[in-house]
Amino acid sequence: MIGISNLQYKLGGKSILEDINLEIPDGEFVAIIGPNGAGKSTLIKLILGLYDLQEGEIIIDGITQTAWLKANSFGYLPQHEEFDRSFPATALDIALMGLAGRIPLAARLKASHRTEAMAALEQTGVAHHAKDLIGKLSGGEFQRVLLARAIVGGSTYLILDEPEASLDRPSVESFFALLKNLNEAGHTIITISHDLNILSEYCSFLVCLNRRLHCHNHTELVTSEIIHKTFGDSVRIIEKDY
Amino acid sequence: MFKYHFMLNALFGSLLSGLSLAIFAPYVTLRRISYMGEALSHIAFAGIAIAILFGLNLTFSTLIFVILISLAIGAISRRHKLQEANTISIFLSVSMALGIILISVSKNYSFDLASYLFGNVLLITGSELYSLIILNILNLTFVLVFYKELFYLTYNAEMAKVFRIRTGLVNQIFLILLAANIVINLKSAGIILVTAQLILPAVIAFNFVHTLHRAIIVSAIVAFLSAFIGFYLSFNLNLPTGATIVLFEALIYFLSLSFRGKNNA
């Protein structure tokens, strides 16, 4: 379980997140929704430990985030992975990255690690691309390679930053179906999403964020009024879904 | 050609110099920090001037100076949220200006600015050859031992952190070793050749091969061949060695572009 209490975050004097108190129960498929600039990416980067906490506390599995991160890592899929298209890495190299942190400094990757990484690529449906250079993969294929990297380390938590952004419509459906399978297999999934239609189908828990927390509850308990309050008047399409 | 002992030293110097930089070149080009090579070699100029003014050991004091400045660049960029490229440009100009003023103050007219730009491999000494041999051993050991960490650090440092790959220490050693390579090669190779050897062998290699370890090997072979043929040509045509090696390497680069087209087709 991830518990966040009294979290505040400022950047250049501007408040990005205020007064966040949130509990994410194990086994949920969580969607963080909110308008642009709501602080969604900042929130997950704070959970991941990529940004330093300024105020407040994050407790993971009963221990502080700092202590947890010393022995564990999150499965993370960033919105946009900065990399050189000509970088000489294969899909298998990228999947192995999810295991490399478990191996001591200066030690080599072994055949057993490759087998594990291949199994993860198999699970996300891109094992046949294992030897392909990442620059040659389509957006959807690369996304599945990144998902393999996120799950291969065995982390129970999968954190995704708007995975649908680089996918076309049919790929979004199949990608979320894949996430649903992983969720059913025991992963707690936390994803930022803009696609309100898909959320009602796949997500079990909604976090509505607009600098402050507007709600965090099971999807069926979140009303359209709350969504409106989170987004302001810019969203009108969600009544039929919620 | 080799009836003089110094010619043999010069040839070995060119080969070892090319080899040492070529092993780093694939990392430097993939991380897009080739400007670091240029900047650090300019910054070394101020270090050389300080060493001349105070009569210090040239290589050692310049190396300390360059490492201190590169650490300062990192610290200032982080604290003041400046882009690292901007901070480096500032330090580059300040160091060059400082170097020129110090040289003029020390009234050391024997210092030749042109040899600093292009180096003079014919003046290489036996002890400098030994430093180049040790440098090559250090480089190879570093790249072999930390291959995995260097690979993922080069791919994406932030994601390496997420997956708890210990890249912090490896990155520090990388930068210190890069500074050492630049400073130690500066006297024989000069700014122009050091900068070229940190880019050209790697971009040529990536036109032929698509894995990092192969790129390192090809980069080393290209640098070795260019140094050998460049040296031979410069001797026979009576041309400056460093500049001839750069031009020869540039020629291979343009020829290799046609292979790149075929590979991508």
Side-chain angles (χ1 to χ4, degrees), chain A residues 49-50 69-70 72-73 76 81-84 87-89 93-94 96-98 100-101 103-108 133-134 142 149, chain B residues 30 32 144-149 151-152 154-156 158-166 169-170 206 210-212 263-264:
Chain A
L50 286 177
L69 281 173
K70 279 188 184 142
N72 304 278
S73 62
Y76 172 49
E81 177 133 332
E82 287 278 335
F83 77 98
D84 189 326
F87 193 89
D93 289 328
I94 297 305
L96 280 165
M97 190 178 184
I103 300 157
L105 193 68
R108 298 256 152 182
L133 288 171
I134 49 173
F142 186 56
R149 179 183 69 183
Chain B
L30 286 173
R32 299 179 187 235
L144 285 173
V145 170
F146 297 111
Y147 186 84
K148 158 176 78 33
E149 286 78 11
F151 183 82
Y152 291 117
T154 309
Y155 170 70
N156 184 320
E158 191 187 34
M159 292 313 295
K161 188 183 167 193
V162 171
F163 290 102
R164 295 177 57 236
I165 302 167
R166 274 149 284 193
L169 177 70
V170 174
F206 283 122
H210 299 289
T211 60
L212 185 58
N263 274 350
N264 288 345

Short mmCIF file of all heavy atoms in Angstrom, two decimals, chain A residues 49-50 69-70 72-73 76 81-84 87-89 93-94 96-98 100-101 103-108 133-134 142 149, chain B residues 30 32 144-149 151-152 154-156 158-166 169-170 206 210-212 263-264:
data_model
loop_
_atom_site.label_atom_id
_atom_site.label_comp_id
_atom_site.label_asym_id
_atom_site.label_seq_id
_atom_site.Cartn_x
_atom_site.Cartn_y
_atom_site.Cartn_z
N GLY A 49 10.41 8.83 -6.36
CA GLY A 49 11.66 9.29 -5.75
C GLY A 49 12.55 10.02 -6.75
O GLY A 49 13.72 10.26 -6.49
N LEU A 50 11.98 10.39 -7.92
CA LEU A 50 12.76 11.15 -8.90
C LEU A 50 12.86 12.61 -8.50
O LEU A 50 13.79 13.31 -8.86
CB LEU A 50 12.12 11.04 -10.29
CG LEU A 50 12.30 9.71 -11.00
CD1 LEU A 50 11.57 9.71 -12.34
CD2 LEU A 50 13.77 9.39 -11.21
N LEU A 69 12.86 2.39 -1.08
CA LEU A 69 13.60 2.49 -2.35
C LEU A 69 15.01 1.89 -2.27
O LEU A 69 15.61 1.58 -3.29
CB LEU A 69 13.69 3.95 -2.81
CG LEU A 69 12.43 4.52 -3.46
CD1 LEU A 69 12.58 6.01 -3.72
CD2 LEU A 69 12.11 3.80 -4.78
N LYS A 70 15.52 1.74 -1.04
CA LYS A 70 16.85 1.14 -0.92
C LYS A 70 16.84 -0.34 -1.30
O LYS A 70 17.84 -0.87 -1.76
CB LYS A 70 17.38 1.30 0.51
CG LYS A 70 17.95 2.68 0.71
CD LYS A 70 18.65 2.83 2.03
CE LYS A 70 19.10 4.28 2.17
NZ LYS A 70 18.97 4.78 3.51
N ASN A 72 13.92 -1.83 -2.96
CA ASN A 72 12.92 -2.13 -3.99
C ASN A 72 12.98 -1.10 -5.11
O ASN A 72 13.55 -0.03 -4.95
CB ASN A 72 11.51 -2.08 -3.40
CG ASN A 72 11.35 -3.00 -2.22
OD1 ASN A 72 11.13 -4.18 -2.37
ND2 ASN A 72 11.49 -2.45 -1.02
N SER A 73 12.34 -1.44 -6.22
CA SER A 73 12.18 -0.41 -7.24
C SER A 73 10.78 -0.51 -7.82
O SER A 73 10.14 -1.56 -7.73
CB SER A 73 13.23 -0.56 -8.34
OG SER A 73 13.08 -1.80 -8.97
N TYR A 76 8.26 1.39 -13.84
CA TYR A 76 7.83 2.72 -14.29
C TYR A 76 7.87 2.81 -15.80
O TYR A 76 8.81 2.35 -16.45
CB TYR A 76 8.75 3.77 -13.66
CG TYR A 76 8.57 5.18 -14.16
CD1 TYR A 76 7.30 5.77 -14.23
CD2 TYR A 76 9.67 5.96 -14.54
CE1 TYR A 76 7.15 7.07 -14.67
CE2 TYR A 76 9.53 7.26 -14.98
CZ TYR A 76 8.26 7.81 -15.06
OH TYR A 76 8.13 9.11 -15.50
N GLU A 81 10.06 8.65 -23.26
CA GLU A 81 11.40 8.23 -22.86
C GLU A 81 12.41 8.90 -23.77
O GLU A 81 12.42 8.69 -24.98
CB GLU A 81 11.51 6.70 -22.94
CG GLU A 81 12.91 6.22 -22.59
CD GLU A 81 12.91 5.06 -21.62
OE1 GLU A 81 11.97 4.95 -20.82
OE2 GLU A 81 13.87 4.28 -21.66
N GLU A 82 13.26 9.74 -23.14
CA GLU A 82 14.30 10.42 -23.91
C GLU A 82 15.33 9.39 -24.36
O GLU A 82 15.97 8.76 -23.52
CB GLU A 82 15.01 11.43 -23.01
CG GLU A 82 14.22 12.67 -22.68
CD GLU A 82 14.30 13.71 -23.78
OE1 GLU A 82 15.28 13.70 -24.53
OE2 GLU A 82 13.36 14.52 -23.88
N PHE A 83 15.46 9.18 -25.63
CA PHE A 83 16.57 8.36 -26.10
C PHE A 83 16.87 8.68 -27.55
O PHE A 83 16.02 9.18 -28.28
CB PHE A 83 16.27 6.86 -25.92
CG PHE A 83 15.34 6.29 -26.94
CD1 PHE A 83 15.84 5.59 -28.04
CD2 PHE A 83 13.98 6.44 -26.83
CE1 PHE A 83 14.98 5.05 -29.00
CE2 PHE A 83 13.11 5.93 -27.78
CZ PHE A 83 13.61 5.23 -28.86
N ASP A 84 18.12 8.44 -27.90
CA ASP A 84 18.57 8.69 -29.24
C ASP A 84 18.03 7.57 -30.14
O ASP A 84 18.25 6.40 -29.85
CB ASP A 84 20.11 8.66 -29.18
CG ASP A 84 20.74 9.12 -30.47
OD1 ASP A 84 20.16 8.88 -31.54
OD2 ASP A 84 21.81 9.71 -30.39
N PHE A 87 20.34 4.92 -30.96
CA PHE A 87 21.08 4.28 -29.87
C PHE A 87 21.16 2.77 -30.13
O PHE A 87 20.16 2.12 -30.43
CB PHE A 87 20.39 4.55 -28.52
CG PHE A 87 21.27 4.17 -27.36
CD1 PHE A 87 22.16 5.08 -26.83
CD2 PHE A 87 21.25 2.88 -26.82
CE1 PHE A 87 23.01 4.73 -25.78
CE2 PHE A 87 22.09 2.52 -25.78
CZ PHE A 87 22.97 3.45 -25.25
N PRO A 88 22.37 2.20 -30.00
CA PRO A 88 22.54 0.79 -30.38
C PRO A 88 22.04 -0.19 -29.31
O PRO A 88 22.79 -1.00 -28.80
CB PRO A 88 24.06 0.67 -30.55
CG PRO A 88 24.62 1.68 -29.61
CD PRO A 88 23.63 2.80 -29.56
N ALA A 89 20.74 -0.11 -28.98
CA ALA A 89 20.18 -1.05 -28.01
C ALA A 89 19.06 -1.84 -28.67
O ALA A 89 18.30 -1.30 -29.47
CB ALA A 89 19.63 -0.29 -26.81
N ASP A 93 17.87 -5.58 -24.72
CA ASP A 93 18.73 -4.73 -23.87
C ASP A 93 17.88 -3.85 -22.97
O ASP A 93 18.20 -3.63 -21.80
CB ASP A 93 19.62 -3.81 -24.73
CG ASP A 93 20.72 -4.57 -25.46
OD1 ASP A 93 21.19 -5.57 -24.91
OD2 ASP A 93 21.09 -4.15 -26.56
N ILE A 94 16.81 -3.29 -23.54
CA ILE A 94 15.96 -2.38 -22.76
C ILE A 94 15.19 -3.15 -21.69
O ILE A 94 15.06 -2.71 -20.55
CB ILE A 94 15.01 -1.59 -23.71
CG1 ILE A 94 15.83 -0.73 -24.66
CG2 ILE A 94 14.03 -0.73 -22.92
CD1 ILE A 94 16.81 0.23 -24.01
N LEU A 96 16.21 -5.82 -20.27
CA LEU A 96 17.22 -6.20 -19.25
C LEU A 96 17.53 -5.05 -18.29
O LEU A 96 17.98 -5.27 -17.17
CB LEU A 96 18.52 -6.64 -19.95
CG LEU A 96 18.52 -8.07 -20.48
CD1 LEU A 96 19.68 -8.27 -21.46
CD2 LEU A 96 18.62 -9.08 -19.34
N MET A 97 17.26 -3.82 -18.74
CA MET A 97 17.51 -2.65 -17.89
C MET A 97 16.72 -2.76 -16.58
O MET A 97 17.16 -2.32 -15.53
CB MET A 97 17.11 -1.39 -18.66
CG MET A 97 17.53 -0.10 -18.01
SD MET A 97 17.04 1.29 -19.07
CE MET A 97 17.76 2.64 -18.12
N GLY A 98 15.54 -3.38 -16.66
CA GLY A 98 14.70 -3.57 -15.48
C GLY A 98 15.31 -4.52 -14.46
O GLY A 98 14.90 -4.55 -13.31
N ALA A 100 18.91 -4.83 -14.34
CA ALA A 100 20.31 -4.43 -14.14
C ALA A 100 20.58 -3.88 -12.73
O ALA A 100 21.66 -4.05 -12.20
CB ALA A 100 20.74 -3.42 -15.20
N GLY A 101 19.57 -3.24 -12.13
CA GLY A 101 19.75 -2.67 -10.80
C GLY A 101 19.89 -3.74 -9.71
O GLY A 101 20.40 -3.48 -8.63
N ILE A 103 21.60 -6.45 -10.07
CA ILE A 103 22.89 -7.11 -10.23
C ILE A 103 23.97 -6.20 -9.64
O ILE A 103 23.94 -4.99 -9.88
CB ILE A 103 23.15 -7.38 -11.73
CG1 ILE A 103 22.02 -8.27 -12.25
CG2 ILE A 103 24.49 -8.02 -11.96
CD1 ILE A 103 21.82 -8.17 -13.71
N PRO A 104 24.93 -6.76 -8.86
CA PRO A 104 25.94 -5.91 -8.23
C PRO A 104 26.71 -5.06 -9.25
O PRO A 104 26.83 -5.44 -10.42
CB PRO A 104 26.87 -6.92 -7.55
CG PRO A 104 26.10 -8.16 -7.42
CD PRO A 104 25.09 -8.18 -8.52
N LEU A 105 27.24 -3.94 -8.74
CA LEU A 105 28.06 -3.05 -9.56
C LEU A 105 29.16 -3.86 -10.24
O LEU A 105 29.79 -4.70 -9.61
CB LEU A 105 28.68 -2.00 -8.63
CG LEU A 105 29.33 -0.78 -9.25
CD1 LEU A 105 28.30 0.10 -9.93
CD2 LEU A 105 30.07 0.03 -8.20
N ALA A 106 29.36 -3.62 -11.50
CA ALA A 106 30.43 -4.24 -12.29
C ALA A 106 30.21 -5.72 -12.62
O ALA A 106 30.98 -6.30 -13.37
CB ALA A 106 31.80 -4.08 -11.62
N ALA A 107 29.14 -6.35 -12.08
CA ALA A 107 28.89 -7.75 -12.43
C ALA A 107 28.19 -7.82 -13.79
O ALA A 107 27.56 -6.87 -14.23
CB ALA A 107 28.03 -8.41 -11.36
N ARG A 108 28.34 -8.96 -14.44
CA ARG A 108 27.78 -9.13 -15.79
C ARG A 108 26.35 -9.65 -15.75
O ARG A 108 25.96 -10.34 -14.82
CB ARG A 108 28.63 -10.15 -16.56
CG ARG A 108 30.04 -9.71 -16.76
CD ARG A 108 30.24 -9.26 -18.17
NE ARG A 108 31.30 -8.27 -18.24
CZ ARG A 108 31.66 -7.67 -19.35
NH1 ARG A 108 31.05 -7.95 -20.47
NH2 ARG A 108 32.61 -6.77 -19.36
N LEU A 133 16.61 -3.45 -33.14
CA LEU A 133 17.05 -2.19 -32.54
C LEU A 133 15.83 -1.35 -32.19
O LEU A 133 14.84 -1.33 -32.92
CB LEU A 133 17.93 -1.42 -33.54
CG LEU A 133 19.32 -1.99 -33.78
CD1 LEU A 133 19.99 -1.27 -34.94
CD2 LEU A 133 20.18 -1.86 -32.53
N ILE A 134 15.90 -0.64 -31.04
CA ILE A 134 14.72 0.10 -30.59
C ILE A 134 14.30 1.20 -31.56
O ILE A 134 13.13 1.51 -31.65
CB ILE A 134 14.93 0.70 -29.17
CG1 ILE A 134 16.26 1.43 -29.09
CG2 ILE A 134 14.82 -0.39 -28.11
CD1 ILE A 134 16.45 2.17 -27.78
N PHE A 142 7.40 -0.25 -29.02
CA PHE A 142 8.37 0.25 -28.04
C PHE A 142 7.71 0.38 -26.66
O PHE A 142 8.32 0.06 -25.64
CB PHE A 142 8.93 1.61 -28.51
CG PHE A 142 10.04 2.13 -27.62
CD1 PHE A 142 11.17 1.37 -27.38
CD2 PHE A 142 9.93 3.38 -27.02
CE1 PHE A 142 12.19 1.84 -26.55
CE2 PHE A 142 10.95 3.85 -26.19
CZ PHE A 142 12.07 3.09 -25.96
N ARG A 149 10.07 -4.03 -19.49
CA ARG A 149 11.13 -3.57 -18.59
C ARG A 149 10.55 -3.24 -17.20
O ARG A 149 11.17 -3.50 -16.18
CB ARG A 149 11.80 -2.31 -19.17
CG ARG A 149 12.89 -1.75 -18.29
CD ARG A 149 13.47 -0.47 -18.86
NE ARG A 149 12.52 0.62 -18.81
CZ ARG A 149 12.74 1.84 -19.30
NH1 ARG A 149 13.88 2.11 -19.90
NH2 ARG A 149 11.83 2.78 -19.22
N LEU B 30 27.22 9.32 -28.23
CA LEU B 30 25.86 8.90 -27.88
C LEU B 30 25.26 9.78 -26.79
O LEU B 30 24.07 10.03 -26.78
CB LEU B 30 25.85 7.44 -27.43
CG LEU B 30 26.01 6.39 -28.52
CD1 LEU B 30 26.16 5.01 -27.92
CD2 LEU B 30 24.85 6.42 -29.50
N ARG B 32 25.89 12.80 -26.52
CA ARG B 32 25.90 14.14 -27.12
C ARG B 32 26.65 15.14 -26.26
O ARG B 32 26.15 16.24 -25.96
CB ARG B 32 24.47 14.62 -27.38
CG ARG B 32 23.79 13.68 -28.34
CD ARG B 32 22.38 14.05 -28.64
NE ARG B 32 21.81 12.98 -29.43
CZ ARG B 32 21.24 13.15 -30.60
NH1 ARG B 32 21.15 14.34 -31.12
NH2 ARG B 32 20.75 12.12 -31.26
N LEU B 144 35.51 -2.14 -19.68
CA LEU B 144 35.17 -3.56 -19.54
C LEU B 144 34.45 -3.85 -18.23
O LEU B 144 33.44 -4.57 -18.21
CB LEU B 144 36.44 -4.43 -19.63
CG LEU B 144 37.03 -4.60 -21.02
CD1 LEU B 144 38.36 -5.32 -20.95
CD2 LEU B 144 36.06 -5.35 -21.93
N VAL B 145 34.95 -3.27 -17.13
CA VAL B 145 34.38 -3.57 -15.81
C VAL B 145 32.97 -2.98 -15.67
O VAL B 145 32.06 -3.64 -15.19
CB VAL B 145 35.31 -3.05 -14.69
CG1 VAL B 145 34.64 -3.12 -13.33
CG2 VAL B 145 36.60 -3.87 -14.66
N PHE B 146 32.81 -1.73 -16.10
CA PHE B 146 31.51 -1.07 -15.90
C PHE B 146 30.69 -1.01 -17.19
O PHE B 146 29.92 -0.07 -17.39
CB PHE B 146 31.72 0.33 -15.33
CG PHE B 146 32.36 0.32 -13.97
CD1 PHE B 146 33.65 0.78 -13.80
CD2 PHE B 146 31.67 -0.16 -12.87
CE1 PHE B 146 34.26 0.76 -12.56
CE2 PHE B 146 32.26 -0.18 -11.62
CZ PHE B 146 33.56 0.28 -11.46
N TYR B 147 30.84 -2.01 -18.05
CA TYR B 147 30.15 -1.98 -19.35
C TYR B 147 28.64 -1.80 -19.19
O TYR B 147 28.03 -0.96 -19.83
CB TYR B 147 30.44 -3.28 -20.12
CG TYR B 147 29.88 -3.24 -21.53
CD1 TYR B 147 30.58 -2.63 -22.56
CD2 TYR B 147 28.61 -3.76 -21.81
CE1 TYR B 147 30.07 -2.55 -23.83
CE2 TYR B 147 28.09 -3.69 -23.09
CZ TYR B 147 28.82 -3.08 -24.10
OH TYR B 147 28.30 -3.00 -25.36
N LYS B 148 28.05 -2.58 -18.29
CA LYS B 148 26.59 -2.55 -18.09
C LYS B 148 26.14 -1.17 -17.58
O LYS B 148 25.20 -0.58 -18.12
CB LYS B 148 26.24 -3.67 -17.10
CG LYS B 148 24.94 -3.53 -16.36
CD LYS B 148 24.63 -4.73 -15.49
CE LYS B 148 25.26 -4.94 -14.23
NZ LYS B 148 25.76 -4.37 -13.18
N GLU B 149 26.83 -0.66 -16.56
CA GLU B 149 26.45 0.64 -16.00
C GLU B 149 26.62 1.75 -17.03
O GLU B 149 25.76 2.63 -17.16
CB GLU B 149 27.29 0.95 -14.75
CG GLU B 149 26.91 0.16 -13.50
CD GLU B 149 27.45 -1.27 -13.50
OE1 GLU B 149 28.30 -1.59 -14.37
OE2 GLU B 149 27.04 -2.08 -12.65
N PHE B 151 26.55 1.47 -20.24
CA PHE B 151 25.56 1.30 -21.31
C PHE B 151 24.24 2.00 -20.94
O PHE B 151 23.69 2.79 -21.71
CB PHE B 151 25.32 -0.20 -21.54
CG PHE B 151 24.36 -0.51 -22.67
CD1 PHE B 151 24.82 -0.52 -23.98
CD2 PHE B 151 23.03 -0.80 -22.42
CE1 PHE B 151 23.94 -0.81 -25.02
CE2 PHE B 151 22.16 -1.09 -23.45
CZ PHE B 151 22.62 -1.10 -24.76
N TYR B 152 23.75 1.71 -19.73
CA TYR B 152 22.46 2.28 -19.34
C TYR B 152 22.56 3.75 -18.94
O TYR B 152 21.62 4.52 -19.14
CB TYR B 152 21.82 1.44 -18.22
CG TYR B 152 21.39 0.08 -18.74
CD1 TYR B 152 21.94 -1.10 -18.27
CD2 TYR B 152 20.46 -0.01 -19.77
CE1 TYR B 152 21.57 -2.34 -18.77
CE2 TYR B 152 20.08 -1.23 -20.29
CZ TYR B 152 20.63 -2.39 -19.79
OH TYR B 152 20.25 -3.60 -20.31
N THR B 154 24.50 5.81 -20.48
CA THR B 154 24.54 6.48 -21.77
C THR B 154 23.15 6.49 -22.41
O THR B 154 22.74 7.47 -23.03
CB THR B 154 25.53 5.77 -22.72
OG1 THR B 154 26.77 5.63 -22.03
CG2 THR B 154 25.74 6.54 -23.99
N TYR B 155 22.40 5.41 -22.22
CA TYR B 155 21.05 5.34 -22.80
C TYR B 155 20.14 6.39 -22.19
O TYR B 155 19.52 7.19 -22.90
CB TYR B 155 20.48 3.93 -22.57
CG TYR B 155 19.01 3.83 -22.93
CD1 TYR B 155 18.61 3.89 -24.26
CD2 TYR B 155 18.05 3.71 -21.94
CE1 TYR B 155 17.27 3.84 -24.58
CE2 TYR B 155 16.71 3.65 -22.26
CZ TYR B 155 16.32 3.72 -23.58
OH TYR B 155 14.99 3.68 -23.90
N ASN B 156 20.02 6.42 -20.87
CA ASN B 156 19.15 7.40 -20.23
C ASN B 156 19.43 7.40 -18.72
O ASN B 156 19.05 6.48 -18.01
CB ASN B 156 17.69 7.02 -20.51
CG ASN B 156 16.70 8.05 -19.97
OD1 ASN B 156 16.87 8.57 -18.88
ND2 ASN B 156 15.66 8.34 -20.73
N GLU B 158 18.30 9.20 -16.25
CA GLU B 158 17.17 9.28 -15.32
C GLU B 158 16.50 7.91 -15.14
O GLU B 158 16.20 7.49 -14.02
CB GLU B 158 16.15 10.30 -15.81
CG GLU B 158 15.11 10.62 -14.76
CD GLU B 158 13.97 11.50 -15.24
OE1 GLU B 158 13.58 11.39 -16.43
OE2 GLU B 158 13.47 12.28 -14.43
N MET B 159 16.32 7.19 -16.25
CA MET B 159 15.69 5.88 -16.15
C MET B 159 16.63 4.88 -15.45
O MET B 159 16.18 3.99 -14.74
CB MET B 159 15.28 5.35 -17.53
CG MET B 159 14.16 6.12 -18.19
SD MET B 159 12.75 6.45 -17.11
CE MET B 159 12.17 4.81 -16.79
N ALA B 160 17.92 5.05 -15.64
CA ALA B 160 18.87 4.19 -14.93
C ALA B 160 18.68 4.34 -13.43
O ALA B 160 18.75 3.38 -12.67
CB ALA B 160 20.30 4.54 -15.34
N LYS B 161 18.40 5.58 -13.01
CA LYS B 161 18.17 5.85 -11.58
C LYS B 161 16.90 5.15 -11.10
O LYS B 161 16.88 4.54 -10.03
CB LYS B 161 18.08 7.37 -11.37
CG LYS B 161 18.05 7.77 -9.91
CD LYS B 161 17.90 9.27 -9.75
CE LYS B 161 17.55 9.59 -8.30
NZ LYS B 161 17.09 10.95 -8.12
N VAL B 162 15.83 5.23 -11.91
CA VAL B 162 14.57 4.58 -11.53
C VAL B 162 14.78 3.09 -11.29
O VAL B 162 14.25 2.52 -10.34
CB VAL B 162 13.49 4.78 -12.63
CG1 VAL B 162 12.26 3.93 -12.34
CG2 VAL B 162 13.11 6.24 -12.74
N PHE B 163 15.58 2.46 -12.16
CA PHE B 163 15.78 1.01 -12.03
C PHE B 163 16.97 0.67 -11.14
O PHE B 163 17.51 -0.42 -11.20
CB PHE B 163 15.87 0.36 -13.42
CG PHE B 163 14.55 0.39 -14.13
CD1 PHE B 163 14.27 1.32 -15.12
CD2 PHE B 163 13.52 -0.45 -13.73
CE1 PHE B 163 13.03 1.38 -15.73
CE2 PHE B 163 12.28 -0.41 -14.35
CZ PHE B 163 12.03 0.51 -15.34
N ARG B 164 17.40 1.66 -10.35
CA ARG B 164 18.42 1.48 -9.31
C ARG B 164 19.74 0.93 -9.86
O ARG B 164 20.40 0.14 -9.21
CB ARG B 164 17.88 0.58 -8.19
CG ARG B 164 16.71 1.22 -7.45
CD ARG B 164 16.11 0.33 -6.38
NE ARG B 164 17.08 -0.07 -5.41
CZ ARG B 164 17.34 -1.34 -5.10
NH1 ARG B 164 16.72 -2.33 -5.74
NH2 ARG B 164 18.22 -1.64 -4.19
N ILE B 165 20.08 1.35 -11.05
CA ILE B 165 21.38 0.98 -11.59
C ILE B 165 22.38 2.01 -11.06
O ILE B 165 22.14 3.22 -11.16
CB ILE B 165 21.36 0.99 -13.14
CG1 ILE B 165 20.28 0.01 -13.63
CG2 ILE B 165 22.72 0.62 -13.71
CD1 ILE B 165 19.94 0.13 -15.08
N ARG B 166 23.48 1.53 -10.44
CA ARG B 166 24.38 2.47 -9.75
C ARG B 166 25.29 3.19 -10.73
O ARG B 166 26.39 2.75 -11.03
CB ARG B 166 25.18 1.74 -8.68
CG ARG B 166 24.40 1.67 -7.37
CD ARG B 166 24.72 0.45 -6.61
NE ARG B 166 24.05 -0.69 -7.21
CZ ARG B 166 23.92 -1.86 -6.62
NH1 ARG B 166 24.45 -2.06 -5.47
NH2 ARG B 166 23.26 -2.84 -7.22
N LEU B 169 28.56 6.86 -9.29
CA LEU B 169 30.01 6.74 -9.17
C LEU B 169 30.65 6.54 -10.55
O LEU B 169 31.67 7.14 -10.88
CB LEU B 169 30.36 5.56 -8.24
CG LEU B 169 31.84 5.26 -8.07
CD1 LEU B 169 32.50 6.36 -7.26
CD2 LEU B 169 32.06 3.91 -7.40
N VAL B 170 29.99 5.69 -11.35
CA VAL B 170 30.51 5.39 -12.68
C VAL B 170 30.59 6.67 -13.53
O VAL B 170 31.56 6.91 -14.24
CB VAL B 170 29.64 4.31 -13.37
CG1 VAL B 170 30.08 4.08 -14.80
CG2 VAL B 170 29.71 3.01 -12.60
N PHE B 206 29.55 3.93 -36.11
CA PHE B 206 28.10 3.73 -36.12
C PHE B 206 27.51 3.69 -37.53
O PHE B 206 26.36 3.31 -37.72
CB PHE B 206 27.39 4.80 -35.27
CG PHE B 206 27.52 4.53 -33.80
CD1 PHE B 206 28.08 5.46 -32.95
CD2 PHE B 206 27.07 3.32 -33.26
CE1 PHE B 206 28.21 5.20 -31.59
CE2 PHE B 206 27.20 3.06 -31.91
CZ PHE B 206 27.78 4.00 -31.07
N HIS B 210 26.01 -1.72 -35.32
CA HIS B 210 24.88 -1.24 -34.53
C HIS B 210 24.83 -1.79 -33.12
O HIS B 210 23.75 -1.92 -32.54
CB HIS B 210 23.56 -1.53 -35.27
CG HIS B 210 23.50 -0.84 -36.59
ND1 HIS B 210 23.36 0.53 -36.70
CD2 HIS B 210 23.62 -1.30 -37.86
CE1 HIS B 210 23.38 0.87 -37.97
NE2 HIS B 210 23.54 -0.23 -38.70
N THR B 211 25.98 -2.19 -32.59
CA THR B 211 26.00 -2.52 -31.17
C THR B 211 27.14 -1.74 -30.54
O THR B 211 28.12 -1.40 -31.23
CB THR B 211 26.24 -4.03 -30.91
OG1 THR B 211 27.50 -4.39 -31.48
CG2 THR B 211 25.15 -4.90 -31.49
N LEU B 212 27.00 -1.47 -29.24
CA LEU B 212 27.98 -0.60 -28.59
C LEU B 212 29.37 -1.22 -28.54
O LEU B 212 30.36 -0.57 -28.86
CB LEU B 212 27.50 -0.24 -27.17
CG LEU B 212 28.37 0.75 -26.42
CD1 LEU B 212 28.50 2.06 -27.17
CD2 LEU B 212 27.80 1.01 -25.03
N ASN B 263 23.04 0.51 -45.17
CA ASN B 263 22.62 -0.19 -43.96
C ASN B 263 21.18 0.13 -43.57
O ASN B 263 20.47 -0.69 -43.02
CB ASN B 263 23.52 0.22 -42.77
CG ASN B 263 24.75 -0.65 -42.73
OD1 ASN B 263 24.82 -1.64 -43.46
ND2 ASN B 263 25.70 -0.30 -41.90
N ASN B 264 20.78 1.37 -43.84
CA ASN B 264 19.44 1.79 -43.44
C ASN B 264 18.38 1.45 -44.46
O ASN B 264 17.20 1.57 -44.22
CB ASN B 264 19.41 3.31 -43.16
CG ASN B 264 20.16 3.62 -41.88
OD1 ASN B 264 20.43 2.72 -41.10
ND2 ASN B 264 20.48 4.89 -41.68
#
